[in-house]
Amino acid sequence: MTRRDEDRRVWPPAPVPAWQDFRAGQGQGPDTLPLPLTTEPPPPPPDPRGHWFLLGVGLVLVATALLLNGYTTDVVGETHPAPAAADTAPPSPALREARQGEAVLNTAGPLPVSAGPSARTIALTFDDGPDPEWTPQVLDVLRKYRAKATFFVVGAKVAAHPELARRIVAEGHELGNHTYSHADLSQVPGWRLRLELSLTQRALAGATDLHTTLARPPYSSTPEAISTPQWESIRAAGTQGYVVVLTDLDTKDWSRPGAAKIAAAAIPPRNRGAIVMMHDSGGDRRQTVEAVELVLKELVPKGYKAVTVSQAVGLPSAHQPADTAGRFIGSVLNLAQRAAEAFAGALSWVLFAAGALTLGRLLFFAVLAWMHAARNRGGKRRKGRAPAWPAPPPVTVIVPAYNEEAGIQATVRSLAETAYPGEVEILVVDDGSTDRTTELAGALGHANVRVIRRPNGGKPAALNTGISQAAHELIIMVDGDTVFEPATIGHLVRQLADPAVGAVSGNTKVGNRGGMVGRWQHIEYVIGFNLDRRAFELLDCMATVPGAIGAFRRSALLALGGVSSDTLAEDTDLTMALCRSGWRVVYEEKALAWTEAPGSLGQLWRQRYRWCYGTLQAMWKHRRAVLERGPFGRRCLGYLAMFQVLLPLLAPVVDLMAVYSTVLGDPCRWSRCGPGSSWCRP
């Protein structure tokens, strides 16, 4: 045997296990399979379990990435400012003191201590950043006028753009804590408030090696506008060691009233000092950038100093060095967030591509199916088709059966009462059944039915026993729970008149359509399998002749060594081997067979698990086909790899994203993005 022959060999001829009650006088000539006298069935293929662990770990990682990305992009745990409501209860002495005080609050004691900028001192503050588009423009304007400012940053954005946080610090500006996901601290429980502030500190440590002692609650404004819930959150932040910074002048630049109006709202009256609130993120901030230049152009010549909040009120620097552990944890957090964001973005594109491929496949296969049906109607199924048989050739039908007492008689009766005019030999191979399958199969009294009993060795071994005992060249294989239409055998045999055809796939229908599981499988069989096999014939890359109904040439099967037990999907394995050997495999839509589909989700799961894993085994076994001449390897294996391996692997992720979007998504989110929100994205 040459090296080329070895490469093309699909598998070594497998010995067929022992059988019993075979036809008297049947010999073992050169066209029969070897029949060693052994009673040991082949060991079943191992049941892999490691993939469940890998699947579980993968889904946990995907869920974690989606939750982290959802949290940082304000999808998970999103909060919004509470509707304004009048405070009917009298304010506490501490709240009254805060409302009457300055914008910088220290709430560590029983009563707040406040401070404000001195005259001709302005502390520009920018919330919601850093933003890759607008923050650099704001920094450029500040550098132009040698002004300093305080940036109350969102931790999630620091993690996404650490280089901007580092630039803010490097140019002498100050950082403040504006929570991690821009949550309204007055609406969240205490643990969430602490988490929001703590995560931002970690993000700052990972990006700049610094912590900050300043904090500004989202949706806050001037001291006199503090509500009772806001005051509670301010006090809670104070207990965490923060100095809370409100504002003297709220420019409301988020409403984009125009650069001139924003600048006018930012200029203190009568040479007073002021803390000014603006935004460098959360939407289009072009007007804000223009307003900053207008403010500095007007105030700097008047002797105003543009400084940080700490400098404006005489406090030491808000920046504190982070320890080694804090920097490491912060770096990991920032990296994890960026990875989660990249993964979510990539996953969105992958799912979009998967949807486009699936739709494209459906349309392409629908066109091919229409062409196939048109050829059948016109009698031009294949170019150069062989003439019809001069006389109906004899046929052997093999029925492998294991514990099929419920349906074996219906199967045998449909075969024995066929309308096919030629000779039909029916071999029922009982593969060690423990019920009354053998008795019931032989009780019908049909002369052309023979029951062969053998020890249990699996379906491939039973089929090989039938092939060895078949008296005719044309062989039809049918499952023990499948019923043929009277004309089915004739339609199958008709296609084998073409000497290039080695196998014919019939048209399987679901017989037990009761219940939702049965109905869905009926739709799948009619639309999915039927559509696919029409297209596969035209593409010359049939992947599977189903075990429920298929016709073969015995000589082709013998040349391959029979039906292999190497995989869980022996029908797919056999079909691929025939295609690699140069045989054409076609589909006959008129050859109808009614089979019993799984009736419960548990049975369906076990069947599909066997199909999927067996298909993977067959693909791996025949992987060299992609390097061989002919279209089968590249078309069939490429199609299976894309649509039955890669895309199905995304199915759990799609389900996870569906649950994630349904449970955690907010379909009304954009309806709240009006001019009153400073956090809605454009």
Side-chain angles (χ1 to χ4, degrees):
M1 181 180 293
T2 65
R3 178 64 178 272
R4 180 177 177 82
D5 292 334
E6 290 179 354
D7 289 341
R8 290 184 59 82
R9 186 178 61 187
V10 179
W11 64 74
V16 180
W19 45 272
Q20 298 175 0
D21 299 340
F22 56 91
R23 179 180 301 171
Q26 177 70 33
Q28 295 188 35
D31 61 345
T32 61
L33 293 173
L35 298 172
L37 298 176
T38 174
T39 59
E40 292 295 329
D47 184 14
R49 301 188 182 276
H51 66 292
W52 292 114
F53 173 76
L54 294 178
L55 176 63
V57 171
L59 289 179
V60 169
L61 292 177
V62 170
T64 302
L66 290 176
L67 288 173
L68 178 58
N69 184 68
Y71 185 80
T72 58
T73 54
D74 219 17
V75 175
V76 181
E78 180 183 12
T79 63
H80 301 277
D87 271 336
T88 56
S92 64
L95 175 55
R96 188 181 303 110
E97 183 73 19
R99 288 176 175 174
Q100 296 173 356
E102 302 287 348
V104 180
L105 297 171
N106 185 341
T107 61
L111 293 176
V113 177
S114 63
S118 57
R120 295 181 180 273
T121 301
I122 186 171
L124 297 175
T125 64
F126 299 92
D127 293 2
D128 299 352
D131 184 274
E133 181 176 2
W134 305 113
T135 302
Q137 296 185 40
V138 171
L139 290 172
D140 291 342
V141 174
L142 295 174
R143 181 170 54 187
K144 177 180 178 180
Y145 290 92
R146 297 183 180 180
K148 305 302 177 186
T150 301
F151 291 80
F152 288 95
V153 293
V154 174
K157 294 193 173 185
V158 171
H161 308 288
E163 72 286 351
L164 294 178
R166 288 192 288 268
R167 179 182 171 184
I168 291 172
V169 174
E171 295 185 5
H173 304 291
E174 193 171 46
L175 294 170
N177 192 328
H178 201 49
T179 74
Y180 194 77
S181 64
H182 202 270
D184 186 352
L185 298 183
S186 65
Q187 295 190 56
V188 300
W191 66 266
R192 173 79 183 275
L193 181 147
R194 293 188 294 272
L195 178 66
E196 289 282 334
L197 298 176
S198 174
L199 287 177
T200 304
Q201 292 284 28
R202 295 186 185 281
L204 288 174
T208 65
D209 297 340
L210 297 173
H211 290 315
T212 181
T213 59
L214 300 182
R216 172 176 283 169
Y219 310 110
S220 62
S221 182
T222 57
E224 58 268 20
I226 301 174
S227 66
T228 300
Q230 286 178 331
W231 173 243
E232 296 301 324
S233 64
I234 290 173
R235 287 186 64 91
T239 61
Q240 299 295 311
Y242 290 96
V243 174
V244 177
V245 180
L246 303 178
T247 185
D248 295 311
L249 300 175
D250 185 355
T251 63
K252 298 183 179 180
D253 58 337
W254 42 263
S255 63
R256 295 194 286 274
K261 290 186 177 180
I262 296 173
I267 296 177
R270 297 184 296 277
N271 295 329
R272 292 181 180 176
I275 295 174
V276 180
M277 179 188 292
M278 294 183 177
H279 299 83
D280 63 332
S281 185
D284 185 348
R285 298 298 176 228
R286 186 178 295 104
Q287 294 180 6
T288 300
V289 175
E290 296 173 2
V292 171
E293 182 151 14
L294 293 176
V295 170
L296 293 176
K297 184 182 295 185
E298 179 174 345
L299 294 183
V300 170
K302 293 181 179 180
Y304 268 83
K305 297 182 295 181
V307 297
T308 66
V309 169
S310 297
Q311 292 170 339
V313 298
L315 292 175
S317 173
H319 294 161
Q320 303 293 328
D323 57 23
T324 302
R327 294 195 298 270
F328 174 77
I329 295 174
S331 299
V332 172
L333 172 65
N334 294 349
L335 179 62
Q337 181 189 310
R338 292 195 296 273
E341 181 180 4
F343 173 78
L347 187 60
S348 298
W349 282 108
V350 168
L351 295 180
F352 174 80
L357 283 172
T358 302
L359 180 60
R361 166 197 170 277
L362 177 61
L363 295 176
F364 181 57
F365 272 37
V367 171
L368 292 179
W370 176 83
M371 294 173 59
H372 183 275
R375 287 190 180 188
N376 278 350
R377 288 193 299 269
K380 299 179 181 178
R381 186 181 187 90
R382 291 181 303 280
K383 184 178 180 180
R385 175 179 173 180
W389 293 100
V395 179
T396 296
V397 182
I398 302 174
V399 186
Y402 176 74
N403 289 348
E404 297 286 357
E405 66 176 2
I408 192 62
Q409 286 194 331
T411 298
V412 173
R413 187 180 294 111
S414 71
L415 298 172
E417 298 174 0
T418 177
Y420 182 65
E423 179 184 352
V424 178
E425 176 191 40
I426 302 172
L427 303 181
V428 178
V429 183
D430 185 347
D431 190 41
S433 297
T434 58
D435 61 3
R436 300 171 60 232
T437 298
T438 299
E439 176 185 346
L440 294 175
L444 295 175
H446 294 286
N448 60 339
V449 176
R450 183 161 59 93
V451 180
I452 302 174
R453 301 190 64 186
R454 49 156 294 119
N456 179 255
K459 185 176 179 180
L463 289 172
N464 285 332
T465 298
I467 294 170
S468 297
Q469 298 306 303
H472 307 301
E473 167 66 6
L474 302 186
I475 291 178
I476 295 175
M477 299 180 185
V478 53
D479 285 344
D481 57 358
T482 302
V483 175
F484 272 23
E485 294 281 350
T488 295
I489 294 179
H491 288 304
L492 289 173
V493 171
R494 179 171 64 90
Q495 301 305 331
L496 290 170
D498 186 341
V501 174
V504 183
S505 169
N507 187 356
T508 312
K509 302 287 187 180
V510 175
N512 53 328
R513 303 179 188 176
M516 185 61 67
V517 176
R519 292 190 182 97
W520 276 113
Q521 289 179 93
H522 167 63
I523 296 174
E524 178 187 28
Y525 274 61
V526 172
I527 298 178
F529 298 159
N530 184 32
L531 191 72
D532 286 358
R533 291 193 175 102
R534 289 178 183 271
F536 286 153
E537 180 186 331
L538 294 184
L539 295 174
D540 200 15
C541 62
M542 190 73 70
T544 304
V545 173
I549 174 173
F552 303 86
R553 295 186 186 274
R554 185 169 183 264
S555 57
L557 299 177
L558 293 175
L560 295 174
V563 182
S564 172
S565 60
D566 292 345
T567 72
L568 294 179
E570 70 285 336
D571 48 3
T572 300
D573 187 2
L574 178 61
T575 307
M576 290 183 177
L578 287 169
C579 291
R580 292 184 68 189
S581 297
W583 292 100
R584 285 181 54 82
V585 180
V586 300
Y587 170 67
E588 177 50 67
E589 62 173 319
K590 296 180 181 179
L592 300 178
W594 301 87
T595 189
E596 182 180 1
S600 65
L601 290 176
Q603 294 174 346
L604 181 64
W605 169 258
R606 288 189 292 271
Q607 181 199 64
R608 297 312 165 92
Y609 174 84
R610 179 174 59 84
W611 284 4
C612 293
Y613 190 70
T615 300
L616 288 174
Q617 290 176 309
M619 291 173 61
W620 180 252
K621 177 177 178 179
H622 297 281
R623 61 190 181 278
R624 289 184 178 178
V626 298
L627 303 177
E628 298 171 353
R629 289 185 177 181
F632 168 76
R634 289 177 290 278
R635 292 178 185 175
C636 179
L637 296 185
Y639 171 84
L640 293 178
M642 175 61 69
F643 292 100
Q644 294 195 25
V645 177
L646 295 180
L647 292 187
L649 285 176
L650 294 176
V653 178
V654 174
D655 296 339
L656 189 62
M657 289 197 70
V659 174
Y660 166 81
S661 301
T662 302
V663 176
L664 301 175
D666 184 1
C668 301
R669 178 176 180 227
W670 291 102
S671 65
R672 290 194 289 262
C673 292
S677 174
S678 63
W679 186 237
C680 294
R681 291 159 179 78

